[in-house]
Each structure stands twice: as structure tokens, then as C-alpha cells.
Amino acid sequence: MPNHGYIISRRAFTAGAIASAAGASHALAQTITTPSPIGPFFPAHYRGETDADLTRIGMSAERAQGQVIEVMGRVLDRHGNPVSGARLDIWQANHFGKYAHPQDTSDLPLDPNFQGFARINTGADGSWKLTTIKPGAYGDGGGQRTPHIHMDVSGSSARNIYQMYFPEEAEANARDGLYRRLGNGAPTSLANALGDYRYSWDIVLIEG
Ligand SMILES: [Fe+2]
């Protein structure tokens, strides 16, 4: 194979990036985001609103309880090229750590103003943006989950499930079994805090 002059970062290489990259690209190689299990609360039968603001249902004047946050990022291929038109199915617990899902049998309260699911598409530059509530932790004993947002991301040829974690939750993250299972891939699932309750998180697909 001819040398196309790619710069493959050591992190990307050790993360199992496909080094035999074919096709021209001028962008730097990216560390592929480590997938996570789908978990029990994927809203397969959801019939409600799917817009990018989870904090409000319809034209309601009432907003969901908890801290409003903005999460934005891009979907990229492993060369760093934006993936336009990628689909993100996003679901999460509410402020109290409760999913509006029949499998969630906890006593934590539902929030009638919390949407709980969004389906959004990336723009031409691969960008996406979500307005939501910071999810609560949930579970007990050994099954405690640190706050996280689930995403099912479909590019043109790759589909994977991820969980996004919060950098200010370092202690709870360190106790979370699924977070720990990410191993060296954990940093790829950690959002960046931009301040003012805004976060950024880029998702790098194995194939765009
Ligand atoms: Fe979850």
C-alpha cells in the first residue's frame, strides 16, 4: 500500500483505528469513539415528540425540572471529515434519574414536562446540538449509574450505540461499571465542559 502521508496518532492506533486507510484525506486521524451497551431503557415504542429540545413538550409554558444544559458536537469519520446527515437517536433519564420506560421500575418520579427522547440529524458540517436536562444518577448498590446520555448514531455505513458522560462527575464515573469497562476508551465518551452548562462532544465513527 502506498504511503498517503496520513498522520495516525498513537492513541488512535492503540484504540484499534483501521490504519490501512484508503482514499485521500487531508484531515488528521481521529480516535474512534468507544461504543457502549444499549442498556434496558431504549425507547423502542416511543411515540412522542422527537425535536432537539428535551426540556419542553409542545408549546407548554412549563419546563422540565433540573439543570438545563446544551450539548453540541460533530459526527466525524476516522479521518476527521464531517459526517453530514447522520441520525442521532438520543435518550436519557430525567433530572431524578427516572426513564419514562416500562422497564424502569424504580420509585423515582417521572417528569411530565421532560421529553426523554430526540431524533436529530447532523448538518452539512457534521454538527448537532441538543438542549436537555442534566440526567440524574440512578440505580443502587453495585448497579449505580453515573449521569449519562445514550445515543444511537447512524452514519451512511456505520451504526453504533454510545453513552456520553460528564467531566464534572469524575468520582461517580469512576464507580460506574459501564464507564470503567470502557477502559482506555473512556476519554472518548467524556464530554468537554464549555462552561455555563454547555458541553461539547464529538463522535468519531469507525466508518462515516
Ligand atoms: Fe441509562
Side-chain angles (χ1 to χ4, degrees):
M1 151 144 319
N3 182 354
H4 293 292
Y6 295 121
I7 300 167
I8 306 287
S9 78
R10 192 167 60 88
R11 265 177 82 204
F13 190 77
T14 54
I18 298 159
S20 61
S25 170
H26 58 275
L28 297 182
Q30 303 290 307
T31 303
I32 290 165
T33 309
T34 303
S36 283
I38 190 169
F41 304 129
F42 178 79
H45 304 291
Y46 183 80
R47 290 287 178 272
E49 244 175 64
T50 62
D51 67 275
D53 183 354
L54 300 188
T55 71
R56 220 184 280 277
I57 307 243
M59 302 298 284
S60 171
E62 283 188 62
R63 216 164 188 190
Q65 294 187 64
Q67 178 60 55
V68 176
I69 62 172
E70 269 187 0
V71 188
M72 63 201 77
R74 294 171 301 164
V75 177
L76 304 170
D77 69 16
R78 66 181 187 271
H79 308 298
N81 301 310
V83 180
S84 67
R87 191 185 81 193
L88 284 73
D89 282 353
I90 299 166
W91 71 104
Q92 63 164 88
N94 67 18
H95 165 65
F96 305 103
K98 175 80 172 178
Y99 288 86
H101 189 286
Q103 298 251 78
D104 188 343
T105 56
S106 78
D107 294 330
L108 298 167
L110 288 168
D111 182 344
N113 296 307
F114 183 61
Q115 190 172 300
F117 178 83
R119 171 168 286 184
I120 58 180
N121 290 90
T122 58
D125 59 352
S127 68
W128 55 272
K129 184 176 168 187
L130 184 72
T131 302
T132 187
I133 298 292
K134 184 175 175 186
Y138 60 86
D140 49 24
Q144 179 80 38
R145 291 305 323 279
T146 189
H148 60 279
I149 298 177
H150 296 268
M151 298 198 193
D152 176 353
V153 182
S154 302
S156 55
S157 59
R159 181 180 180 189
N160 268 300
I161 313 274
Y162 306 96
Q163 293 183 29
M164 189 202 90
Y165 296 90
F166 292 85
E168 70 275 18
E169 300 287 348
E171 280 183 28
N173 292 344
R175 288 194 302 269
D176 184 298
L178 286 181
Y179 183 83
R180 287 208 304 261
R181 205 190 293 175
L182 293 167
N184 292 337
T188 68
S189 295
L190 206 54
N192 299 301
L194 303 176
D196 302 325
Y197 304 105
R198 293 162 70 239
Y199 300 86
S200 72
W201 185 50
D202 288 345
I203 301 160
V204 182
L205 300 177
I206 293 170
E207 295 289 338

